[in-house]
Amino acid sequence: MVQIKEFRIVMPMSLEEYHVAYMYMVMKMSQQHTTGDEGIEVIENRSFEDNVLGKGRYTNKIYRLQSKVPSWLTTFAPSDALIIKEEAWNAFPKCKSVMKCPYFPRFQLTLETVNRPDKGQSENVHGLSEEQLAVREVEYIDIASSEGNYWSYLVGNNDVDFSEFKSERTGRGPLLEGWQNRCNPVMTAYKLVTIDAPYWGFGSRLEQALIAGEKALFLESHRNCFSWIDEWYGMTVQQIYELEQQTHSALNEKLGKPALITSAED
């Protein structure tokens, strides 16, 4: 059965700030998780335009994170075969990414994001059908909380105490109980995860595991977005693009892979 889960993450920043914060976070976390053996290889990074999302950036990546594969899954496939290929279309404030595993060709994880300047109260921002809404689950993620489980251990564990944290450059924080209703500026990332792993014997378990993994990743990455605010605050999207190009080349070099492909206008 296809799993559909929507996560809503309220953030104490404007949409424009979140655009920069998210790009900065992805770049920095990619560096943290890339070594000589494992990490994120960027195949392509270019501009795109279509009738659905509009204009944005297209990226094609390969994730080699074998050490993070659950041990039970290696009974169905060798860990070195469990690489993930991702195509992503970032047309902020809307984004979409599709992840596949060549070893399991029928597996697919789709992540669709809509970012809005609200406090998480908008309904059906993804335009789901009645059938999809009937099976969709909604869960709010509070960045002021933290979790200590298997997935949070794998994706990282930002240990900043947001009940005491205060940004030196913006004065934002601390995040005390009910902060989502008081903060200004504010925005929400609505992340819709759709997973289909139609494999008898482990497909359902894999879907549930990946839902838990996505939740842990969303919590960690958005905690990083806010805790690193004094690093990215004041930067522009164009400055982040330029840093991205340098970072992607460095990551590929670290993995011993070819330089990424960019379009002529980039």
Side-chain angles (χ1 to χ4, degrees):
M1 180 179 176
V2 176
Q3 299 287 325
I4 302 178
K5 185 76 176 272
E6 181 183 305
F7 294 97
R8 300 180 183 181
I9 310 136
V10 179
M11 297 294 290
M13 58 190 67
S14 68
L15 272 180
E16 294 75 16
E17 290 171 342
Y18 179 75
H19 192 186
V20 171
Y22 194 84
M23 293 175 65
Y24 182 86
M25 173 274 297
V26 170
M27 179 179 63
K28 186 169 180 177
M29 288 187 68
S30 296
Q31 293 173 319
Q32 293 176 341
H33 289 279
T34 299
T35 65
D37 300 317
E38 294 187 357
I40 303 168
E41 177 187 353
V42 185
I43 305 298
E44 192 172 1
N45 182 349
R46 58 173 172 79
S47 301
F48 84 93
E49 181 175 0
D50 67 23
N51 295 329
V52 178
L53 293 174
K55 295 182 179 180
R57 304 289 299 184
Y58 166 84
T59 57
N60 184 355
K61 300 178 181 179
I62 296 177
Y63 293 81
R64 294 183 173 88
L65 303 171
Q66 295 91 330
S67 66
K68 301 183 186 301
V69 173
S71 58
W72 61 264
L73 188 55
T74 60
T75 63
F76 298 95
S79 60
D80 58 0
L82 296 174
I83 64 172
I84 296 293
K85 294 187 176 181
E86 178 198 58
E87 289 186 284
W89 298 262
N90 187 340
F92 194 88
K94 294 183 178 181
C95 311
K96 179 180 180 179
S97 62
V98 177
M99 300 182 186
K100 298 181 180 181
C101 177
Y103 195 85
F104 297 113
R106 290 185 290 159
F107 162 80
Q108 180 168 299
L109 185 154
T110 301
L111 171 61
E112 297 168 274
T113 303
V114 175
N115 300 298
R116 288 195 173 181
D118 63 24
K119 297 179 180 179
Q121 73 274 26
S122 297
E123 290 301 328
N124 200 16
V125 299
H126 301 281
L128 300 182
S129 65
E130 290 186 8
E131 292 79 7
Q132 291 171 316
L133 288 173
V135 298
R136 179 201 63 171
E137 296 181 12
V138 175
E139 182 174 349
Y140 288 83
I141 292 178
D142 182 359
I143 65 167
S145 66
S146 60
E147 293 185 353
N149 56 33
Y150 171 82
W151 288 105
S152 62
Y153 170 76
L154 290 184
V155 302
N157 191 6
N158 182 319
D159 60 359
V160 175
D161 184 350
F162 284 150
S163 68
E164 299 180 355
F165 173 85
K166 187 169 185 176
S167 163
E168 293 183 3
R169 300 185 64 186
T170 68
R172 296 176 201 172
L175 302 183
L176 304 177
E177 185 175 354
W179 65 268
Q180 299 94 331
N181 297 318
R182 298 187 298 270
C183 66
N184 184 32
V186 66
M187 57 79 58
T188 300
Y190 295 81
K191 293 186 171 291
L192 185 72
V193 181
T194 304
I195 301 179
D196 188 14
Y199 291 95
W200 183 85
F202 71 95
S204 179
R205 187 178 182 184
L206 177 60
E207 290 169 357
Q208 292 298 327
L210 289 175
I211 288 287
E214 289 293 290
K215 177 184 176 181
L217 180 59
F218 295 154
L219 176 60
E220 175 71 6
S221 59
H222 285 77
R223 283 175 60 83
N224 287 339
C225 278
F226 186 53
S227 64
W228 294 339
I229 188 171
D230 290 336
E231 298 178 31
W232 58 256
Y233 185 77
M235 298 184 70
T236 66
V237 171
Q238 183 58 41
Q239 288 175 318
I240 298 291
Y241 279 149
E242 294 170 359
L243 285 175
E244 267 189 342
Q245 295 293 329
Q246 300 172 17
T247 299
H248 291 165
S249 297
L251 293 179
N252 284 9
E253 183 178 348
K254 187 181 291 188
L255 289 168
K257 302 298 179 180
L260 72 157
I261 300 171
T262 59
S263 55
E265 66 270 22
D266 295 332

